[in-house]
Amino acid sequence: MQITSFKQYEEDFKKSVDNPEQFWGEVAQNFQWRKPWFKVLSWNFNEPNIKWFEGAKLNITENCLDRHLEKNGDKPAIIWEPNNPEEESVTYTYKMLHERVCRFANVLKRNGAKKGDRICIYMPMVPELAIAVLACARIGAVHSVIFGGFSAKSIADRINDSQCKLVITADGAYRGNKQIPLKDVIDDALIGCPTVEKCIVLTHVRTPVSMLKGRDVWWEDEVKHVNDICEAEEMDAEDMLFILYTSGSTGKPKGVVHTCGGYMVYAGYTFSNVFNYQPGEVYFCTADIGWITGHSYIVYGPLSQGATSVLFEGIPTYPSPSRFWDIVEKHKVNTLYTAPTAIRSLMSFGDEPLNGKDLSSIRVLGSVGEPINEEAWHWFDEKIGHGKAPIVDTWWQTETGGIMISPIATVTPTKPSYATLPLPGIQPILVDENGKEIEGNGVSGNLCIKFPWPGMLRTTYGDHERCKQTYFSTYENLYFTGDGCLRDEDGYYRITGRVDDVLNVSGHRIGTAEVENAINMHAGVVESAVVGYPHDVKGQGIYAFVINPEMHGEEELTKKDILQTVTRVIGAIAKPDKILFVAGLPKTRSGKIMRRILRKIAEGDTANLGDTSTLLDPAVVDQIIEASKALK
Ligand code: WTA
């Protein structure tokens, strides 16, 4: 299954386009199925209706755990590195992980969970998070992991959207020198969640928490009541595996749905190939399991391939900006997969944190989540890879389930800031605004995919029409990514960023409409418009233009109040970096906000505002420019 030469990549790619069913049918043979499929693929992008490995039966946890037990049971599956480096790291072998997952799966059953139920997971980056995820999959329950940075309201909205029956959380989380009261946040959320019957709470930080009689139970108590034998539920290839909420251009996040068979094949295949993973190697992905990267490349991808995956609880700068390098040295990490925002942040500390660190174990480097600028690429290459480790700049999305356009480590010649070439099975095309294909090289356009791949989303939970509208209606018969893209003279792809109203802040996807809704909930705010602007570390920062005629007291204080509201409504990750109070917003005669102009102002590029003659009140623009000059 592993591609070892560029020639083989080209052959596999050709085969995957000429005969996709045969290609994926063969890849899928590398996994364990209880029953084979009768059809590899049926599809229709108009409805959309996509089915991979129809008729096949499996359980993904048998692929991630059971099948490794005989030969590799004592091999480390997960190495957990705690937030505090003074604490011991913990290694779970495949045997141990299997045992814990089965035991916790029985806890879920004991608390009423069964196949098809939705379970919300809101936990710190501890091994029990991976165990909870796998335990859901074991019994066929659908997990919906929510990133620890979301507020109670965001959690409640997600729980209600998918009608979760159970919540798994912890008393709290450590992040650097901060402690986050997870259970408190969950308690606030659950006030408005009538479908939740049980909440399982892991003890982690040992902070006092409220435990509601009849609803809340302790993880540690529950596991004592069950044994560790739990046969995996037989799942249909197209049964739901998980829901993961992600932001789009409208205010409400969507529950992206992935199913069992195709997702497993795609996560496993891409993990093995993109990182050129070799048996026995240590692989470290710094993402959080609350995002798709953690799902596919900390849990399912690596474990399906019997790899050793490092799970890190903390942050790159705690207790010092040497932390990643200490972890690499300590666990002899061979592959480091991280985000441009982390690279840029660590870069800003200079070379000092790298002094004396042994990074010689590193063989492959990876980047994900946002475009990586050339400066960061070269720093990563020279300082971390010592010019010897290929960098895989992996482009993909929550909706794609796995990596789509990326170099294959040791195989594809790389080029700074380029995601390079599509993986076998992926057929990208560039289109203009009218959906006309832009052929040839040395061109730019909107990135679409014209043929299905096994890891793609199947629907958005509870609202199939929304899935159709968002991804399959902009251009006929194409999956639209929302990204702009350049294809250079060599046919290499470079992702240039979102072309819709979605921001990418430190690799986190945030919809401008979502942030605007949150700001507009603040008392006194009449209207707001949010745009992104280039930010040295975060990639993009959030710039909010706010109309607020009834300001109480000081302007600075009011800004802080608004930030507090955004934190309450969405979470701290969505806090604007800059707030500018304005008297009006530039609108067309039909009332549409001209974001293009606001973007220019946010970028400080006020000389080229373009045509403003269609505006209802062009004078508003001058006022905003004047005000923006005073804002640092
Ligand atoms: C962006 C993260 C440039 C892109 C896996 C995409 C990237 C969005 C890259 C998806 C990359 C991701 N180069 N841009 N290598 N990887 N993106 O759903 O805009 O959190 O649409 O998935 O991140 O973000 P998501």
Side-chain angles (χ1 to χ4, degrees), residues 158-223:
R158 287 159 171 78
I159 287 178
N160 290 333
D161 185 72
S162 53
Q163 298 175 306
C164 294
K165 189 169 169 185
L166 229 132
V167 173
I168 309 169
T169 191
D171 50 358
Y174 299 114
R175 273 183 74 77
N177 51 21
K178 284 202 206 106
Q179 197 171 307
I180 298 149
L182 296 184
K183 178 62 164 62
D184 279 0
V185 180
I186 285 288
D187 286 340
D188 287 345
L190 292 190
I191 292 170
C193 297
T195 59
V196 173
E197 292 166 13
K198 282 286 170 77
C199 178
I200 303 173
V201 187
L202 176 81
T203 303
H204 182 53
V205 301
R206 295 188 167 275
T207 177
V209 296
S210 137
M211 293 292 283
L212 219 65
K213 192 182 289 168
R215 185 192 72 186
D216 300 346
V217 293
W218 290 108
W219 178 300
E220 296 75 17
D221 291 341
E222 288 298 302
V223 291

Side-chain angles (χ1 to χ4, degrees), residues 275-322:
F275 302 105
N276 184 248
Y277 183 80
Q278 301 302 312
E281 284 191 329
V282 176
Y283 161 90
F284 176 22
C285 168
T286 70
D288 193 289
I289 294 178
W291 306 111
I292 190 69
T293 307
H295 282 62
S296 301
Y297 300 110
I298 294 178
V299 183
Y300 290 117
L303 297 180
S304 76
Q305 302 305 300
T308 299
S309 182
V310 175
L311 202 160
F312 174 42
E313 181 185 15
I315 56 171
T317 47
Y318 179 81
S320 83
S322 293

Side-chain angles (χ1 to χ4, degrees), residues 32 34 58-69 94 98 101-102 105 130-140 230-233 235 241 260 264 299-300 303-304:
Q32 192 177 305
R34 292 227 187 141
L58 76 151
N59 186 291
I60 195 168
T61 68
E62 290 186 329
N63 283 269
C64 291
L65 301 168
D66 304 60
R67 68 162 169 166
H68 308 307
L69 294 182
Y94 274 93
H98 177 263
V101 168
C102 289
I131 290 167
V133 163
L134 292 163
C136 289
R138 187 84 177 169
I139 65 165
C230 177
E231 176 153 9
E233 186 76 30
M235 304 295 283
L241 175 63
C260 296
M264 168 182 79
V299 183
Y300 290 117
L303 297 180
S304 76

